[in-house]
Amino acid sequence: MLVDEIIEEPVVETMEPGIDLTDLPLDLLGNHPAEQYARDVLTGKIVTCRYVKLAAARHVRDLAEGYKRGLWFDAPAAQHRLDFYQFCRHFEGEWAGQVIEPSSWQQFIKWCIYGWKRADGSRRFRKAYISVARKAGKSTDVATDGIYLAFFDGESGAQVFTAATKFSQARIIHRASTSMVKASPALRRRINVFKNNLHVEETASIYEPLGQDSNTEDGLNVHGALIDEYHAHPDAEMYNVLRSGMGSRRQPLLYVITTAGFDKQCACYTEEEYAKNVLEGVFDDDSYFAIIFTLDENDKWTDETVWLKSNPNLGITPKLEDMQEQCQEAMRVPSKQNEFLTKRLNIWTEAVTAWITVGQWDRCAELVDAEGLRGRKCFGAFDLSSTTDITAWALCFPPENEIEPYRFIWRFFVPQDGLEKQYPNKEILGKIKTWIRQGFITPTPGDSVDYDFVKAKILEDATIYDIREIPYDPYNASQMVNDLSKEDLELVEFRQGFLTMSPAAKDFESKVLKGQIAHGGNPVMRWMISCAEIAKDPAGNIKPVKPDRQKSVKRIDGVVAAIMALDRAVKLDISDSVYKTRGLLVL
């Protein structure tokens, strides 16, 4: 469906429960683009979510009743802020050098934030929370606010900061503001540019980046603060420092603009919940502006007709074609779904999501002939887990030609005694006992895994195959490592953190999806693949985890071992690589 069709389609004919159109005097809205946007939102001409409608409805209600609380709307002040855009130019990409022209939704936000006043004439809103999907021009837009608040808001000695937990991150918006100043002859004549500093001597006003790691937060006298991508902040410390630094200012503004994140325990999610309560009318807070562009609860994320709700600039940035491609990828690759939902549709998700499907795994079930691999170069990896759990030993055999896959063999070990206690789920217990009878799992004597038994099997495999290297998880592995090292096996520590596991896990996933792995249909690994989920950190790094670690009977030890073995096989299989044997091809 074309973007124009998405925009014009009157999907919303009636308002959701809690918003009554009959109570909204839309005739109070003028013809200004910002107010026309509010009208179009409330009449369903523009496809928006509940929280955008609530923001528009709030503006209309306050036009009618705000005077009772000492509020009034200063249209010239709002227009003054919008007129400032004519001095701001794009500094990169296809629009570089052109004057920034705000979209109607951006005009509505500025119209409200800078137009609403208190009885004493000061600005009504002291905090603003704007949540919108990635690629909506957030950073560029908020960079114009930094310049305006510092030098054109009528505040002498203004101190304005772009803020983040790290100074380098705080510089992102500030660099954008600096580039705008340099690109505009009018701004360049008025504003002095130093490294990490914009200032005007006549008014003693400054605009600088501020990081929590810069140790300069004390003694701030903040007129304006801009926090971009608040979801990446580990806590509310920087937010609180800036807020406390605003106490002596007449009309300060703390401006938070963000995309949703993967951690609902973070400070940003708490802030979003507060913002929703303000919009819903649960909390009365006339100092707090909020608008959230996201999908509604019953929307299907694969339905492109609702994408405009999260992406008010859809068709300009992001491009519809790019959204469609990413949606298709997310539908094919489960681990990509949360990324699409969170960053492209602005939906808060959990850090853990589904990973490789059983169907995708089954397509790699090519037979692996263990006898035929005798003497072949390979890379082993073990995940010892706990002594009462499943221990996994994996062997990965790199290809010897361009069409051969990476072949895998697994050995699994469990304690012979106490299985009923360890696996109270009768279905899983039955499977494990069946796999023991079939030889896919080896029981070791006693009520805990006998690591000497495992070591003996590793050493036996070393006499059959050419094991070049063994990566291992250092947890609980010191004795095994010492013993195997004495046998002249090469062992390499492979920690299980995001930075180490992410590239290896992503490569494993990629090779499974491309059919570049052969696992022989091992049923234990098939079960473990079905158990594996992916945890994701704020930087987008991933690692495999099992669901509900404390209670789940699911296991992923074979998955972890396979990822480690494959990673070393890919990185260290150089001497016999196809490039060594055939040389480089020149096209």
Side-chain angles (χ1 to χ4, degrees):
M1 180 172 287
L2 297 176
V3 174
D4 289 341
E5 294 173 334
I6 297 175
I7 293 175
E8 295 176 359
E9 185 178 358
V11 173
V12 183
E13 297 180 355
T14 59
M15 306 304 291
E16 289 87 347
I19 306 175
D20 188 351
L21 271 177
T22 60
D23 291 338
L24 297 174
L26 298 185
D27 59 315
L28 293 179
L29 293 171
N31 295 321
H32 190 280
E35 302 217 325
Q36 184 61 48
Y37 176 80
R39 181 183 291 106
D40 290 345
V41 164
L42 292 169
T43 57
K45 187 174 181 181
I46 296 177
V47 178
T48 57
C49 73
R50 174 177 178 79
Y51 296 109
V52 175
K53 296 182 180 73
L54 287 170
R58 185 187 189 195
H59 175 68
V60 175
R61 285 197 302 270
D62 287 344
L63 288 174
E65 303 174 359
Y67 70 93
K68 299 175 183 178
R69 307 192 307 279
L71 304 177
W72 59 284
F73 192 78
D74 186 348
Q79 189 60 48
H80 186 266
R81 169 61 186 92
L82 292 175
D83 288 343
F84 178 67
Y85 275 109
Q86 67 185 288
F87 300 104
C88 301
R89 298 175 182 269
H90 291 283
F91 54 90
E92 60 184 0
E94 60 182 302
W95 300 294
Q98 298 181 29
V99 172
I100 294 175
E101 297 182 4
S103 300
S104 58
W105 66 276
Q106 293 170 318
Q107 292 191 54
F108 172 74
I109 290 172
K110 310 303 181 191
W111 187 255
C112 292
I113 291 176
Y114 293 93
W116 277 104
K117 298 292 183 68
R118 301 181 179 191
D120 63 1
S122 65
R123 190 160 42 236
R124 165 192 178 179
F125 293 116
R126 306 302 165 89
K127 291 171 287 185
Y129 182 85
I130 298 95
S131 179
V132 64
R134 184 175 286 179
K135 301 298 181 182
K138 301 189 303 295
S139 297
T140 298
D141 189 55
V142 76
T144 68
D145 287 285
I147 302 170
Y148 183 84
L149 287 168
F151 310 118
F152 299 94
D153 199 30
E155 184 80 6
S156 295
Q159 293 184 11
V160 176
F161 302 96
T162 57
T165 55
K166 293 185 178 180
F167 183 76
S168 58
Q169 185 70 26
R171 291 180 60 205
I172 294 176
I173 295 179
H174 194 269
R175 280 200 302 266
S177 299
T178 300
S179 297
M180 287 181 192
V181 171
K182 291 180 177 179
S184 169
L187 296 180
R188 216 168 42 237
R189 285 193 298 268
R190 179 177 177 84
I191 302 170
N192 297 305
V193 179
F194 284 179
K195 182 180 179 181
N196 300 322
N197 170 276
L198 299 176
H199 70 274
V200 171
E201 293 181 357
E202 292 86 345
T203 62
S205 298
I206 64 168
Y207 174 26
E208 297 178 343
L210 180 68
Q212 194 168 315
D213 56 352
S214 59
N215 298 319
T216 59
E217 313 99 87
D218 295 332
L220 298 178
N221 187 7
V222 182
H223 172 62
L226 315 173
I227 300 179
D228 190 22
E229 300 299 7
Y230 189 37
H231 71 88
H233 286 230
D235 52 46
E237 183 175 348
M238 179 58 76
Y239 183 104
N240 293 334
V241 166
L242 294 167
R243 187 71 189 92
S244 64
M246 294 178 167
S248 62
R249 292 290 182 175
R250 181 170 177 264
Q251 53 175 19
L253 178 61
L254 177 57
Y255 203 112
V256 174
I257 186 160
T258 190
T259 301
F262 303 105
D263 180 9
K264 292 185 179 181
Q265 305 305 314
C266 71
C268 184
Y269 188 75
T270 300
E271 191 71 22
E272 175 141 330
E273 289 294 287
Y274 183 85
K276 289 177 179 179
N277 280 319
V278 171
L279 289 171
E280 294 281 6
V282 177
F283 300 152
D284 293 325
D285 190 342
D286 279 331
S287 70
Y288 196 99
F289 175 83
I291 191 167
I292 300 168
F293 296 85
T294 187
L295 299 193
D296 288 306
E297 184 175 352
N298 295 324
D299 289 334
K300 294 182 178 179
W301 63 272
T302 55
D303 178 5
E304 63 186 61
T305 64
V306 302
W307 291 349
L308 191 69
K309 294 182 179 183
S310 303
N311 299 271
N313 274 351
L314 184 63
I316 302 173
T317 176
K319 304 294 187 185
L320 179 59
E321 295 80 5
D322 182 56
M323 286 283 292
Q324 290 170 332
E325 290 172 4
Q326 293 206 26
C327 180
Q328 288 296 318
E329 185 178 12
M331 292 170 66
R332 292 191 298 267
V333 185
S335 66
K336 300 284 187 180
Q337 288 183 14
N338 273 10
E339 183 76 18
F340 184 77
L341 292 173
T342 302
K343 299 307 177 186
R344 294 302 188 176
L345 297 179
N346 202 35
I347 298 171
W348 282 86
T349 60
E350 297 290 354
V352 175
T353 184
W355 197 27
I356 298 167
T357 67
V358 170
Q360 292 164 337
W361 182 252
D362 286 347
R363 287 194 286 271
C364 298
E366 180 182 331
L367 179 66
V368 176
D369 181 7
E371 284 298 314
L373 293 171
R374 278 181 171 271
R376 278 274 295 267
K377 176 177 60 176
C378 66
F379 296 81
F382 59 80
D383 185 6
L384 297 182
S385 189
S386 68
T387 57
T388 58
D389 211 336
I390 296 178
T391 284
W393 162 241
L395 292 167
C396 176
F397 298 80
E400 293 186 333
N401 56 59
E402 292 179 329
I403 62 173
E404 186 181 353
Y406 287 82
R407 302 186 188 279
F408 280 87
I409 295 174
W410 284 271
R411 323 286 193 195
F412 295 101
F413 307 88
V414 295
Q416 183 171 289
D417 302 330
L419 285 177
E420 286 77 8
K421 182 178 180 181
Q422 183 67 12
Y423 298 97
N425 183 295
K426 292 183 179 180
E427 181 182 356
I428 299 300
L429 178 63
K431 286 182 177 181
I432 289 176
K433 288 183 175 180
T434 297
W435 293 329
I436 290 174
R437 289 196 302 270
Q438 293 173 341
F440 292 107
I441 297 180
T442 301
T444 68
D447 58 3
S448 63
V449 173
D450 187 336
Y451 290 159
D452 287 335
F453 198 97
V454 176
K455 180 184 67 174
K457 188 58 181 176
I458 293 174
L459 293 176
E460 179 185 340
D461 282 335
T463 66
I464 302 173
Y465 308 110
D466 181 12
I467 301 177
R468 297 295 180 88
E469 189 179 87
I470 302 175
Y472 65 92
D473 176 4
Y475 173 74
N476 203 31
S478 57
Q479 187 61 52
M480 178 73 79
V481 171
N482 290 335
D483 292 346
L484 292 177
S485 296
K486 294 176 182 178
E487 302 293 337
D488 294 327
L489 290 173
E490 185 71 24
L491 285 100
V492 178
E493 185 177 285
F494 196 112
R495 293 192 173 273
Q496 304 298 292
F498 279 107
L499 293 180
T500 305
M501 286 296 293
S502 185
K506 289 179 178 179
D507 188 43
F508 181 80
E509 175 187 59
S510 174
K511 284 180 168 51
V512 171
L513 297 181
K514 293 176 181 178
Q516 296 174 348
I517 281 175
H519 54 69
N522 185 298
V524 184
M525 254 308 281
R526 188 176 189 269
W527 169 58
M528 290 185 173
I529 280 289
S530 74
C531 295
E533 294 183 345
I534 282 295
K536 186 173 296 186
D537 72 2
N541 296 308
I542 67 172
K543 68 176 182 179
V545 295
K546 62 183 179 182
D548 194 1
R549 293 166 179 256
Q550 300 302 318
K551 299 178 182 179
S552 178
V553 295
K554 297 184 177 182
R555 302 292 183 264
I556 64 168
D557 312 87
V559 178
V560 173
I563 290 171
M564 293 192 293
L566 175 67
D567 184 68
R568 303 311 295 174
V570 170
K571 290 180 178 177
L572 299 182
D573 183 29
I574 298 174
S575 60
D576 296 325
S577 73
V578 65
Y579 301 106
K580 288 287 185 178
T581 56
R582 79 175 185 202
L584 291 173
L585 296 180
V586 179
L587 302 178

